[in-house]
Amino acid sequence: MNWLKKFSVYLKVYSQSAIEYRFMMLIWMFDIFFIPVMLILIWISIIEYSPSLLPQRQTLINFYTLNPLIYMLTDSWHAFFLSRDIRTGKFSTRLLRPIWPFMGTVANNITEKYVKLFFLIPLVFTASVYFNLDLELTPFVLTASVFSLILAAIISFLLESFLGLLAFWTDEVSGIKEIFEIFHLTLGGIMVPIFLFPPRLKSIVQFLPFRYMVSFPTEVLSGSLTSTEIITGMLIVSAWIIFSLFVLVLLWKNGLKQYSSVGG
Amino acid sequence: MKRYTKLWLSFAKNSLIREMGFKANFLVKVTLEIGWAFATIFMFEIIFYQTNTIAGWKKGEIYLIYSLFRIVSAIGSIIYRKNLSRLSHLINSGEFDYYLTKPVNIFFLSNTRYVSLDRISQTLVGIGIYLYALTFPEVPNTPKTLLLTLFFIPLGILIRFSLNVIIHLPVFLSEKLENIYRLELTFFSIARYPRGVFPPFLVKIFTFLIPVLAVAALPAEIILSKSPQYWILILLTIAITLFTISYKLFNLALRSYTSASS
C-alpha cells in the first residue's frame, strides 16, 4: 500500500497549506454561504405575493439552506491549475513522478474541503435554525444522499479534469471554463432550483450533467424528489460518469502524444 | 484635473493596444460578458414564469433595477476592477514600489492604471436591458427618468468603487488575499434586487453601512417614485461620504505597506 503512504503525505502538505491561508478559505466560504441565504429571503418575499408557491416554501428553504454545504462538498477547481501546468511545462514534473499524476489534485480537493467545513458548518447551522430547516430523513433518503453526493463529487472532478486537459490543444481554457460555469449556474439549478423550471426545460435539463454536480444531491437531501426520480437521477449521473471517463482517457492519451514541455 | 484626464486617456489607449494584440481573447471576453448578463435574465424569466411580482415589483421595474446594476458594474469594471484585483499581486511581488515612485497621486494610479475595454459589451447589454425596461407600462418612459438615470449612474459607480477600495485594503496587511475581490462580488450580488425583499434590519445595513442597495435598487425606487425625492440628497451624501472614507483609509493603509523586494 505504498500509494497510500504517498497519498497521506500529500494530505498532510495540503492540509498545512489550507490552514495557513485560512482567511482566504473564510472568504470562499462566505461567498458560498451568502448568496443562497439571500436567495431564501428573495424567495420568501416572492411567495408572500404568490400564494400558489406556498407549498414550495419549505422545499425552497431546505434547498437553499443545504446548497452551500453540498456545493462545497462536491466542488472541484483544478481546471485552472491543470491547464496552467500544461501551458507552462510544469506538467512534466507530474509525469515524471512515480505516482498517479492526479494524486496531488485529489489530496488538495479533500483537504481544502475538510478545512472549509470548519467555517461552513457553523454558518449553515445558524441558517438552519433561523429559517427552520425541516428535513424528512428516512433511511432511503439518507443513503441516497450519500451516494448522490459521492457521484456529484466524482462527476464534478471529471468535468473539471476534462476542462483542464483541453490545455493540450488550446491556450485559452479559462474562457471555456467560464462558459461551462454559466451553464452550470443556470441549467444546473443553482440560480433557480430546477423544480421551478417550466416542464419542457426541466425535461431537457435532467439529461444534462450540470444538474448532478450540486442540485441533484441537494434535491435528494431536501426531500423534493420521489424515489423513482432519485433512482433515475442516479442512473443518469452514472452514465455521465462512465462517458466522462471514456472521454478523459481519450483526451489523456492523445494529449500526451502531442504534449511538448515548455521551458527546462 | 486636465492632467489626470490626459493620463487616464493614455492608460485607455495603451490598454486598447494591448487588448488588440490578443483579438481572439478579447472576443471571448466580450462574449462571456454577454453570457453572464443573459444568465441573470434567464433567472428572472424563470422567476416571472412562477410569479407576477418580486416583493411587489413588476417585471419592468425589476429590469430597471437590473439595468442600472449592469451599467454601474460595467463602467466600474472598465475603470477600476482590474486594478483592484491586481493589488494583492502588486504588493506581494513588490511591484507596487514602482507605483509609489511615480509623480502621480497613488490613489489615482493604483485604481485606474489598467482599463478593461472588454467590459464595453456589458455596458451595451445594460443599456439594452434599460431600453427594454422602458417598454413596460410600469416604467415611466419620460425625460425625467433619463435625467435621473444619468444622475444616479455616476453616484452608483462612486459608491461601488469606494466599497471596493475599502474591501481591498486588508491586502496591505496580509500576505495572500488574492480572492478578496470575491467579497465585493458577493455583496453586490444582491444589488440587483429591490430593497423590499430583505428584512428591515438588512435593508438598513445594506443601504447605510454597506450601501450595496444604494447602487441600483434605491435609485430605481426614486425613479419610479416609490421613495420620496429627498432620498436623492441622502444618496448623494452616502456617495460622497463613502468616497472620502475610502480615500482616507487607503492613505492610512499605505503607511502599513512595506516593500516585498530588496
PDB file of all heavy atoms in Angstrom, chain A residues 4 22-23 25 133 138 151 161 180 183 199 204-205 218 243 256 261:
ATOM      1  N   LEU A   4      -0.738   4.593  -0.651  1.00  0.00           N
ATOM      2  CA  LEU A   4      -1.470   5.170   0.486  1.00  0.00           C
ATOM      3  C   LEU A   4      -0.557   6.046   1.334  1.00  0.00           C
ATOM      4  O   LEU A   4      -0.935   7.130   1.787  1.00  0.00           O
ATOM      5  CB  LEU A   4      -2.067   4.038   1.325  1.00  0.00           C
ATOM      6  CG  LEU A   4      -3.245   4.399   2.221  1.00  0.00           C
ATOM      7  CD1 LEU A   4      -4.385   5.000   1.412  1.00  0.00           C
ATOM      8  CD2 LEU A   4      -3.757   3.149   2.956  1.00  0.00           C
ATOM      9  N   ARG A  22      -6.026  30.503   5.886  1.00  0.00           N
ATOM     10  CA  ARG A  22      -7.406  30.303   6.350  1.00  0.00           C
ATOM     11  C   ARG A  22      -8.298  31.494   6.073  1.00  0.00           C
ATOM     12  O   ARG A  22      -9.514  31.334   5.936  1.00  0.00           O
ATOM     13  CB  ARG A  22      -7.430  29.944   7.827  1.00  0.00           C
ATOM     14  CG  ARG A  22      -6.629  30.858   8.726  1.00  0.00           C
ATOM     15  CD  ARG A  22      -6.441  30.203  10.098  1.00  0.00           C
ATOM     16  NE  ARG A  22      -5.548  31.010  10.930  1.00  0.00           N
ATOM     17  CZ  ARG A  22      -4.237  30.960  10.875  1.00  0.00           C
ATOM     18  NH1 ARG A  22      -3.631  30.146  10.025  1.00  0.00           N
ATOM     19  NH2 ARG A  22      -3.502  31.717  11.665  1.00  0.00           N
ATOM     20  N   PHE A  23      -7.721  32.687   5.980  1.00  0.00           N
ATOM     21  CA  PHE A  23      -8.563  33.842   5.696  1.00  0.00           C
ATOM     22  C   PHE A  23      -9.115  33.758   4.278  1.00  0.00           C
ATOM     23  O   PHE A  23     -10.264  34.136   4.026  1.00  0.00           O
ATOM     24  CB  PHE A  23      -7.804  35.155   5.916  1.00  0.00           C
ATOM     25  CG  PHE A  23      -8.715  36.340   6.072  1.00  0.00           C
ATOM     26  CD1 PHE A  23      -9.538  36.462   7.175  1.00  0.00           C
ATOM     27  CD2 PHE A  23      -8.758  37.314   5.100  1.00  0.00           C
ATOM     28  CE1 PHE A  23     -10.391  37.554   7.307  1.00  0.00           C
ATOM     29  CE2 PHE A  23      -9.608  38.405   5.223  1.00  0.00           C
ATOM     30  CZ  PHE A  23     -10.420  38.527   6.328  1.00  0.00           C
ATOM     31  N   MET A  25      -9.786  30.949   2.822  1.00  0.00           N
ATOM     32  CA  MET A  25     -10.839  29.931   2.928  1.00  0.00           C
ATOM     33  C   MET A  25     -12.120  30.559   3.450  1.00  0.00           C
ATOM     34  O   MET A  25     -13.218  30.250   2.972  1.00  0.00           O
ATOM     35  CB  MET A  25     -10.416  28.825   3.910  1.00  0.00           C
ATOM     36  CG  MET A  25      -9.205  28.044   3.485  1.00  0.00           C
ATOM     37  SD  MET A  25      -9.592  27.028   2.057  1.00  0.00           S
ATOM     38  CE  MET A  25      -7.971  26.861   1.361  1.00  0.00           C
ATOM     39  N   LEU A 133     -35.024  24.853   9.036  1.00  0.00           N
ATOM     40  CA  LEU A 133     -34.785  23.729   8.143  1.00  0.00           C
ATOM     41  C   LEU A 133     -35.577  22.520   8.634  1.00  0.00           C
ATOM     42  O   LEU A 133     -35.539  22.202   9.820  1.00  0.00           O
ATOM     43  CB  LEU A 133     -33.280  23.399   8.131  1.00  0.00           C
ATOM     44  CG  LEU A 133     -32.833  22.227   7.269  1.00  0.00           C
ATOM     45  CD1 LEU A 133     -32.936  22.564   5.799  1.00  0.00           C
ATOM     46  CD2 LEU A 133     -31.401  21.817   7.610  1.00  0.00           C
ATOM     47  N   THR A 138     -35.479   9.815   5.970  1.00  0.00           N
ATOM     48  CA  THR A 138     -35.700   8.377   6.046  1.00  0.00           C
ATOM     49  C   THR A 138     -34.384   7.678   5.715  1.00  0.00           C
ATOM     50  O   THR A 138     -33.483   8.298   5.127  1.00  0.00           O
ATOM     51  CB  THR A 138     -36.766   7.953   5.022  1.00  0.00           C
ATOM     52  OG1 THR A 138     -36.265   8.252   3.716  1.00  0.00           O
ATOM     53  CG2 THR A 138     -38.084   8.703   5.240  1.00  0.00           C
ATOM     54  N   LEU A 151     -21.372  10.646  -6.103  1.00  0.00           N
ATOM     55  CA  LEU A 151     -21.451  10.697  -7.571  1.00  0.00           C
ATOM     56  C   LEU A 151     -21.268  12.134  -8.065  1.00  0.00           C
ATOM     57  O   LEU A 151     -20.609  12.373  -9.077  1.00  0.00           O
ATOM     58  CB  LEU A 151     -22.795  10.134  -8.050  1.00  0.00           C
ATOM     59  CG  LEU A 151     -22.998   8.636  -7.861  1.00  0.00           C
ATOM     60  CD1 LEU A 151     -24.424   8.222  -8.217  1.00  0.00           C
ATOM     61  CD2 LEU A 151     -22.006   7.837  -8.698  1.00  0.00           C
ATOM     62  N   SER A 161     -11.518  18.059 -14.780  1.00  0.00           N
ATOM     63  CA  SER A 161     -10.318  17.485 -15.400  1.00  0.00           C
ATOM     64  C   SER A 161     -10.400  17.608 -16.911  1.00  0.00           C
ATOM     65  O   SER A 161      -9.405  17.929 -17.584  1.00  0.00           O
ATOM     66  CB  SER A 161     -10.157  16.013 -15.014  1.00  0.00           C
ATOM     67  OG  SER A 161     -10.100  15.870 -13.621  1.00  0.00           O
ATOM     68  N   PHE A 180     -18.698  27.152 -19.330  1.00  0.00           N
ATOM     69  CA  PHE A 180     -19.174  25.979 -18.590  1.00  0.00           C
ATOM     70  C   PHE A 180     -19.839  26.415 -17.294  1.00  0.00           C
ATOM     71  O   PHE A 180     -20.897  25.911 -16.919  1.00  0.00           O
ATOM     72  CB  PHE A 180     -17.986  25.056 -18.299  1.00  0.00           C
ATOM     73  CG  PHE A 180     -18.369  23.806 -17.567  1.00  0.00           C
ATOM     74  CD1 PHE A 180     -18.802  22.694 -18.260  1.00  0.00           C
ATOM     75  CD2 PHE A 180     -18.281  23.738 -16.188  1.00  0.00           C
ATOM     76  CE1 PHE A 180     -19.158  21.536 -17.588  1.00  0.00           C
ATOM     77  CE2 PHE A 180     -18.638  22.589 -15.505  1.00  0.00           C
ATOM     78  CZ  PHE A 180     -19.070  21.483 -16.207  1.00  0.00           C
ATOM     79  N   PHE A 183     -23.332  27.822 -17.832  1.00  0.00           N
ATOM     80  CA  PHE A 183     -24.304  26.730 -17.997  1.00  0.00           C
ATOM     81  C   PHE A 183     -24.571  26.018 -16.663  1.00  0.00           C
ATOM     82  O   PHE A 183     -25.710  25.651 -16.358  1.00  0.00           O
ATOM     83  CB  PHE A 183     -23.802  25.705 -19.027  1.00  0.00           C
ATOM     84  CG  PHE A 183     -24.020  26.139 -20.445  1.00  0.00           C
ATOM     85  CD1 PHE A 183     -22.943  26.416 -21.280  1.00  0.00           C
ATOM     86  CD2 PHE A 183     -25.296  26.280 -20.960  1.00  0.00           C
ATOM     87  CE1 PHE A 183     -23.138  26.827 -22.591  1.00  0.00           C
ATOM     88  CE2 PHE A 183     -25.506  26.694 -22.271  1.00  0.00           C
ATOM     89  CZ  PHE A 183     -24.424  26.968 -23.083  1.00  0.00           C
ATOM     90  N   PRO A 199     -41.927  22.910 -17.491  1.00  0.00           N
ATOM     91  CA  PRO A 199     -41.813  21.443 -17.697  1.00  0.00           C
ATOM     92  C   PRO A 199     -40.912  21.035 -18.854  1.00  0.00           C
ATOM     93  O   PRO A 199     -40.119  20.104 -18.733  1.00  0.00           O
ATOM     94  CB  PRO A 199     -43.263  21.015 -17.958  1.00  0.00           C
ATOM     95  CG  PRO A 199     -44.085  22.071 -17.318  1.00  0.00           C
ATOM     96  CD  PRO A 199     -43.312  23.337 -17.412  1.00  0.00           C
ATOM     97  N   ILE A 204     -35.465  18.647 -20.447  1.00  0.00           N
ATOM     98  CA  ILE A 204     -34.175  18.681 -21.157  1.00  0.00           C
ATOM     99  C   ILE A 204     -33.034  18.670 -20.145  1.00  0.00           C
ATOM    100  O   ILE A 204     -32.072  17.910 -20.266  1.00  0.00           O
ATOM    101  CB  ILE A 204     -34.076  19.954 -22.042  1.00  0.00           C
ATOM    102  CG1 ILE A 204     -35.139  19.917 -23.144  1.00  0.00           C
ATOM    103  CG2 ILE A 204     -32.684  20.083 -22.647  1.00  0.00           C
ATOM    104  CD1 ILE A 204     -35.275  21.230 -23.885  1.00  0.00           C
ATOM    105  N   VAL A 205     -33.166  19.529 -19.138  1.00  0.00           N
ATOM    106  CA  VAL A 205     -32.087  19.733 -18.167  1.00  0.00           C
ATOM    107  C   VAL A 205     -31.751  18.472 -17.379  1.00  0.00           C
ATOM    108  O   VAL A 205     -30.602  18.261 -16.993  1.00  0.00           O
ATOM    109  CB  VAL A 205     -32.498  20.910 -17.235  1.00  0.00           C
ATOM    110  CG1 VAL A 205     -31.790  20.862 -15.909  1.00  0.00           C
ATOM    111  CG2 VAL A 205     -32.268  22.236 -17.919  1.00  0.00           C
ATOM    112  N   THR A 218     -28.644  18.030  -3.558  1.00  0.00           N
ATOM    113  CA  THR A 218     -29.401  18.951  -2.697  1.00  0.00           C
ATOM    114  C   THR A 218     -30.887  18.618  -2.747  1.00  0.00           C
ATOM    115  O   THR A 218     -31.573  18.630  -1.715  1.00  0.00           O
ATOM    116  CB  THR A 218     -29.183  20.418  -3.130  1.00  0.00           C
ATOM    117  OG1 THR A 218     -27.811  20.645  -3.396  1.00  0.00           O
ATOM    118  CG2 THR A 218     -29.643  21.378  -2.053  1.00  0.00           C
ATOM    119  N   PHE A 243     -19.279   7.897 -19.338  1.00  0.00           N
ATOM    120  CA  PHE A 243     -18.973   8.610 -20.580  1.00  0.00           C
ATOM    121  C   PHE A 243     -17.788   9.559 -20.383  1.00  0.00           C
ATOM    122  O   PHE A 243     -16.874   9.622 -21.220  1.00  0.00           O
ATOM    123  CB  PHE A 243     -20.219   9.388 -21.048  1.00  0.00           C
ATOM    124  CG  PHE A 243     -19.991  10.224 -22.269  1.00  0.00           C
ATOM    125  CD1 PHE A 243     -19.827   9.633 -23.512  1.00  0.00           C
ATOM    126  CD2 PHE A 243     -19.932  11.608 -22.191  1.00  0.00           C
ATOM    127  CE1 PHE A 243     -19.613  10.391 -24.650  1.00  0.00           C
ATOM    128  CE2 PHE A 243     -19.715  12.383 -23.321  1.00  0.00           C
ATOM    129  CZ  PHE A 243     -19.552  11.775 -24.553  1.00  0.00           C
ATOM    130  N   LEU A 256      -1.173  13.570 -24.381  1.00  0.00           N
ATOM    131  CA  LEU A 256       0.222  13.273 -24.053  1.00  0.00           C
ATOM    132  C   LEU A 256       1.068  13.099 -25.314  1.00  0.00           C
ATOM    133  O   LEU A 256       2.252  13.441 -25.329  1.00  0.00           O
ATOM    134  CB  LEU A 256       0.312  11.999 -23.202  1.00  0.00           C
ATOM    135  CG  LEU A 256      -0.023  12.164 -21.725  1.00  0.00           C
ATOM    136  CD1 LEU A 256       0.158  10.832 -20.992  1.00  0.00           C
ATOM    137  CD2 LEU A 256       0.853  13.233 -21.068  1.00  0.00           C
ATOM    138  N   SER A 261       6.831  19.894 -23.543  1.00  0.00           N
ATOM    139  CA  SER A 261       7.034  20.728 -22.369  1.00  0.00           C
ATOM    140  C   SER A 261       7.717  22.036 -22.741  1.00  0.00           C
ATOM    141  O   SER A 261       8.700  22.054 -23.455  1.00  0.00           O
ATOM    142  CB  SER A 261       7.889  19.949 -21.366  1.00  0.00           C
ATOM    143  OG  SER A 261       8.284  20.793 -20.329  1.00  0.00           O
TER     144      SER A 261
END
